[in-house]
Amino acid sequence: MALQSSLASFVDGKTAGKRDVYIEVAATAEVLQICDAQGDVLAEWPLKQLRRMQDGSRTVLYLDGDPDEARLYPFNLHDETVLAALAPSLDKRRPIGPLVRKVIGWSVAAAAALAVMLFVIIPSLSDQLATVIPAEREERIGKVVSSQIERAMVWQDDSAGESWQCSSAAGDAALAQMVTRVLGPLDVPYTLNVQVVDHPLINAFALPGGQVILFRGLLEAAQSADEVAGVLAHELGHVINRDPMRLTLRAAGSAGLLSLMLGDAAGGLIIAGAADQVMNASHTRKAEAQADEFALKLLEEAEISPLAFARFFETLKEDSPDMTGALEWLSSHPSLSLRAQNARDNVQQGKTYRPVLNAQAWRDLQAICG
């Protein structure tokens, strides 16, 4: 099988543009000759060095090791078939050279170092820093994160007004009554600020500096004030353990590292990343379990039955597949069944429990967003 003179396009790598050429295999069948219209030989490519690659839908021929990187574009598909028979190494790939291996090695090492920074060093440093940051500074950080979250949530909700915080005289009084009852004599190093926001998510989270956010959707999903009291007690556990500060530092550190790589000089990625991480409450399971234990202790001291807390988990477990808004507050927490059983196990037989709110105060709290 021999290649007769056939038309192709040729880029020699030295001059601009393509030229029409004729290609044919020399009589020795060892080289591919590239000739111009007058029959002058422009180049001779040894068949054993001939390679091909795809450029979109077209096949491109090139010479392995050619410093000029010349390219040949055959017009006839049959030519490629013939060439494949004549050139034994047409589809052979160049082995990875030392420089490429070094680049790959450096890339793998850099990715490993980044992973260690993101998942080991930054979390460890965050846990240590969270314990030494003054309460006043933590409160300021919490306000910045809170404003970022509010802007993001209000922007996503077309029906939201200028502020997402809910307030009414009766609702505020009921909320204050619940906080006082659940908190009891507990000493909090911050000015505790618990608020309800007007959003349908079944969610609640704590922010740095003693801020606790309860969503309207949570009040609507709860069957009693005692269920909300259990959620509030859980978030207070995070506040006392400074989990929100740990999470904020971890998220800000990770986002800050990424911003250096992406060139985010303004630091917007840091703030946004920290706000998103705190809002989604991605604490460790250990921190969540500790917050649950803290909540059950607060409920016991406040004489509020843990049974309502258990029923809240059970209701969520039954209804969560049909609920809109994805249960963000529960996304990274231990299983609902285990949490419900743990709460039930803490019910003391024979002990007299008192509702955290009376019926009217509970209605006032549910109606705080109007």
Side-chain angles (χ1 to χ4, degrees), residues 270-291:
I270 300 176
I271 299 174
D276 180 71
Q277 188 77 2
V278 172
M279 184 175 63
N280 289 325
S282 297
H283 301 296
T284 65
R285 285 183 174 267
K286 180 180 178 181
E288 295 301 338
Q290 291 176 341

Side-chain angles (χ1 to χ4, degrees), residues 251-262:
S254 300
L257 181 60
L258 294 175
S259 71
L260 288 176
M261 299 175 62
L262 300 176

Side-chain angles (χ1 to χ4, degrees), residues 157-209:
D157 187 359
D158 295 335
S159 63
E162 294 183 358
S163 175
W164 71 340
Q165 184 172 354
C166 298
S167 180
S168 70
D172 292 345
L175 181 60
Q177 182 181 343
M178 175 182 288
V179 172
T180 300
R181 175 79 178 280
V182 172
L183 197 61
L186 183 66
D187 183 24
V188 180
Y190 319 101
T191 301
L192 191 63
N193 178 26
V194 181
Q195 59 178 303
V196 177
V197 297
D198 190 9
H199 199 283
L201 276 178
I202 303 171
N203 199 0
F205 54 80
L207 298 176

Side-chain angles (χ1 to χ4, degrees), residues 281-333:
S282 297
H283 301 296
T284 65
R285 285 183 174 267
K286 180 180 178 181
E288 295 301 338
Q290 291 176 341
D292 271 358
E293 292 300 322
F294 186 88
L296 292 171
K297 181 179 179 181
L298 284 185
L299 294 177
E300 178 184 352
E301 294 175 351
E303 298 182 344
I304 301 171
S305 175
L307 187 59
F309 201 26
R311 287 172 178 166
F312 180 67
F313 293 139
E314 292 165 349
T315 300
L316 292 179
K317 185 175 183 298
E318 293 174 0
D319 298 341
S320 59
D322 301 323
M323 287 183 178
T324 58
L327 305 177
E328 297 291 344
W329 182 67
L330 303 165
S331 61
S332 62
H333 295 51

Side-chain angles (χ1 to χ4, degrees), residues 23-152:
I23 57 175
E24 59 183 4
V25 174
T28 59
E30 295 181 355
V31 296
L32 178 72
Q33 289 185 334
I34 304 172
C35 306
D36 61 15
Q38 288 74 40
D40 296 329
V41 177
L42 301 177
E44 290 187 335
W45 286 2
L47 291 178
K48 63 181 181 180
Q49 292 180 244
L50 198 62
R51 305 287 186 269
R52 68 177 168 186
M53 62 181 178
Q54 290 300 125
D55 182 9
S57 60
R58 300 190 61 183
T59 297
V60 183
L61 301 178
Y62 66 96
L63 194 63
D64 186 32
D66 179 13
D68 296 326
E69 298 184 350
R71 296 291 184 262
L72 187 65
Y73 300 83
F75 287 165
N76 191 334
L77 183 61
H78 174 69
D79 296 343
E80 300 176 30
T81 305
V82 174
L83 283 173
L86 295 173
S89 302
L90 193 62
D91 295 312
K92 183 179 180 180
R93 295 292 175 262
R94 185 182 302 176
I96 298 177
L99 180 58
V100 176
R101 285 196 293 268
K102 286 184 179 180
V103 171
I104 294 175
W106 292 335
S107 300
V108 172
L114 179 61
V116 171
M117 287 290 294
L118 291 175
F119 300 110
V120 179
I121 296 178
I122 289 178
S124 178
L125 287 176
S126 300
D127 290 345
Q128 296 179 36
L129 287 174
T131 61
V132 299
I133 292 179
E136 298 79 8
R137 181 169 300 177
E138 185 174 337
E139 288 183 5
R140 291 196 295 270
I141 294 173
K143 290 178 181 178
V144 173
V145 175
S146 177
S147 63
Q148 179 73 16
I149 292 175
E150 180 177 354
R151 283 196 296 270

